Amino acid sequence: MELITVLEKTAFGNQVELEAARNYLEQAALHDLPNLLRQLSDILRNTSQNEVTRAQAAIQLKNAIYSKDEAIKQQYQERWLQIPEEIRLYIKNNCIGSLGTETKRPSQAAQCVGYIACAELPRDLWPDCINRLMENVTSANASEMLKESSLEAIGYICQDINPDILEVQSNQILTAIVNGMRKEEGSDHVRLAACRALYNSLEFTRNNFSKDSERNYIMQIICEATQSDNDQIKVSALQNLVRIMNLYYEFMENYMGQALFAITVSAMKSTNDDVALQGIEFWSSICEEESELAAEYQDALDEGRTPTSVSRHYARGALQYLVPIILQRLCEQKDTEDEDEWNPCKAAGVCLMLLASCVEDDILNHVMPFINENIKNPNWQYREAAVMAFGSIIEGPSPDRLKPIVGQAIGMFIELLKDQSVIVRDTAAWTIGRICEAVPEAILNEAILQPLLEGLVIGLNAEPRVATNACWALSSIAISAMEMARPGDDEETTPETYFLSKYFEPIVEKLLATTERHDGGQSNLRSAAYEALMEMIKNSPKDCYTTVQKTTIVILGRLENVIQLESSIQSSSDRRQVFDLQSLLCATLQSVLRKVTPEDAPQISDHIMTALLHMLNQTANSKASSVQEDAFLAVSTLIDVLGEKFLKYIDSLKPILYVGLKNFDEYQVCQAAVGVVGDLGRNIGNKILPYCDDIMTILLEGLISPKLNKVVKPLILSTFGDIALAIGTDFKKYAEVVLNALHQASMIHADPNDFDLIDYFNELREGCLDAYTGILQGLKGNNNTPVDLSIVTPHINNILTFLEILSKDQNISESVLSATCGLIGDLVSCFGQQMIQVTDSPAIHNLLERGKKSKNNRARTLSNWASKEIRKLKNA
């Protein structure tokens, strides 16, 4: 079969022919990939071939180099780089020579050029690529298709490559892009491709934006593009302005008054939804940026330093112009609207929220007149907009300003729960939820609370979308009522009673009934009702305990009933529904178990454990990882409640627990199973010893396995500490291998600029610290066991090196700082005179000083304790 025929079959063949063509291409790639790619590039370059065949050749060539899966893409790029240089050069010349020769858009050759460049440029290969693309765009003789496809290639490169790699070539890239964006450019296709390429290039053009002349020219070109008659160009240019405001806020002052304000306000009013969305997004971005700058300014004041950047208060200055447009957009809802469709009306609601958070009290004078005028408007759209506006601004103004307003308005919102329009009812329930969350003190009084709760309970009978918001409002009220009832910030104390006590039982009964509504699958209602039930139980005082007991029995009964349903399941959709229900019931069971007294728990634990073990065993080999995860979490809660009384279940739990620990493919299940091990260690102490050989073997295997998601590994490390603390000196047999693993984990460094990884590395380091602390305290033993820390002594320098690294890292979290101070205290307490020389080291001094100045109580307490241990050592 000839390659051209095969390519035609991939486009036009029937199922059998298509399968045969795919097999042919797979075998050709396995047999001789360089030759296959060379032939594909020849077909792409050959303009006498039909357009479909050329396009299919380009697609197959691109797919051999690029994948959306990051790991596979890396493999493909390495495979490409193994191809001999002369063949790669031949293919590259064919691909770049094909630019401008295609008749269909978008250019397939541009994708090939882009993805080959993404493989080669990071390795300092293909040095003339960007320059050739720039010349294609700037050449006086370049055709429309050549310019457009070359700009598309630049766009693909900028989108997929690390910005640092292209920084040195930013001038050539911008020259090509700006040339294509100019208003003098006769082709809208070229201008659009240039606009899109610019969007992808903005991240690495800071040097250009920091120079006045270059920045002025770029901004001029973009502003001119926003005035294009072509809506696609206009939208793309506005998208660039949004991104520029995010990246280069500090450079925008000269352009706001002259151009950007007028351009974006006009866009907000546009009848084209795509244009309007970008205009609204521009001001949403400004609000987010200025809120962050305000927070940074306050932090700088608190720490006695000069802030690195300051707000220009564009949002505050534009309030009187923005708010009327936003409010008008809020009035443009449609009663047949798709809930998932993003439109200017929804974007306006988000923008109003951000605006309120940014300008705080100032929003009230601009929005309240509209609300007062329209809350009783005969047109449902205006009524709904008024309610939406109130709900949207609720988190901006101070509680003192809001309380009297809420007191006056809440009655109207309760009344609107019975509005003839379901959309108004839905938004009213949502707004009440927002009020309950943001200013609970305004509604937690008898005059308001009773009619409010009655309205919300009636709302639970309404359409699913309304009932879901009523559930959320009830959750917020329960949380706030408990916070008000607790003395000070004591989260551990359960108060005798609270505002909701006399309403508690009927609300719980109504929520239980709501979970069984036949339409509970719509608008996520069943989940919302169970979540509200969990919050009610979690935030219940002592005088509601009888209801908690009853609810525990109801949930357990439902769990047993749903387990019995498994045998009658016919379809996969029914099975999915049963699994979802099991997960919800397990999660609810956790909430009620946490409130059950230690005296009552053993009376129901047999039934609970039987149900949980059944679910774990039934779902072990099915695609029901969420059920497995939630069942293990429920087991963890039961362990916490029963303590040593859980021992009688361990032998029954052990086989399925080991299966969960080995489930590296479904990391959430593995994570929950590791959590069970930690809870066992903390609650049954050295009674876990007979199971430790198996558990430690599996945990160590998980720690080094590339199959297991990295997020589980910090928990494994801290679980080593739990086990060490539980079995004390018996941990010696595992200590050497664990201490070596901790050293390796503690030496892994995070890129300080990769914010996505900073949280993970904080968790990893906290896991190491917890493990070190558990090992030291476990091996130190208590007064009845001899101290035997000799196995740790050779690792002290590794631990001190770890502390040195932490002392130099400004991104460590408060919990890492707390654990670090605790470990320092443990080292001094355990090793005494061996530590005296290092207690004055800059690293330890720095960490303890940071701990003492921390806003975190635990960090301050542990740093003071560690300092006290050091003083005791020096004075001994």
Side-chain angles (χ1 to χ4, degrees), residues 431-444:
T431 297
I432 289 170
R434 297 267 295 169
I435 291 168
C436 296
E437 193 174 58
V439 276
E441 58 269 37
I443 54 100
L444 287 176

Side-chain angles (χ1 to χ4, degrees), residues 18 142 270 340 417 461-462 673 682 689 761:
L18 180 60
S270 173
D340 296 326
L417 288 171
N461 292 323
R682 287 188 293 273
L689 186 57
F761 276 97

Side-chain angles (χ1 to χ4, degrees), residues 90-103:
Y90 181 88
I91 294 168
K92 288 185 291 188
N93 284 333
N94 270 345
C95 289
I96 209 163
S98 301
L99 295 174
T101 66
E102 298 158 285
T103 57

Side-chain angles (χ1 to χ4, degrees), residues 662-674:
K662 293 175 183 175
N663 192 346
F664 299 162
D665 291 325
E666 294 170 314
Y667 74 90
Q668 296 98 329
V669 175
C670 182
Q671 192 169 28
V674 174

Side-chain angles (χ1 to χ4, degrees), residues 642-744:
L642 292 176
E644 283 200 5
K645 291 177 183 175
F646 186 85
L647 269 170
K648 64 178 180 176
Y649 305 118
I650 287 191
D651 287 328
S652 301
L653 175 66
K654 182 177 74 170
I656 193 64
L657 175 61
Y658 291 176
V659 171
L661 290 172
K662 293 175 183 175
N663 192 346
F664 299 162
D665 291 325
E666 294 170 314
Y667 74 90
Q668 296 98 329
V669 175
C670 182
Q671 192 169 28
V674 174
V676 169
V677 173
D679 286 309
L680 285 171
R682 287 188 293 273
N683 284 280
I684 68 171
N686 63 5
K687 304 281 195 319
I688 198 176
L689 186 57
Y691 311 96
C692 280
D693 282 356
D694 291 336
I695 288 171
M696 289 297 296
T697 300
I698 301 170
L699 290 180
L700 286 164
E701 185 185 341
L703 192 64
I704 62 173
S705 172
K707 284 178 66 180
L708 182 58
N709 191 302
K710 68 177 187 290
V711 302
V712 185
K713 301 191 178 186
L715 182 60
I716 291 176
L717 295 173
S718 63
T719 302
F720 290 150
D722 293 325
I723 293 172
L725 209 49
I727 65 175
T729 53
D730 287 310
F731 192 78
K732 282 193 294 184
K733 64 190 293 188
Y734 314 115
E736 186 65 30
V737 66
V738 170
L739 287 165
N740 285 329
L742 290 173
H743 176 57
Q744 290 175 17

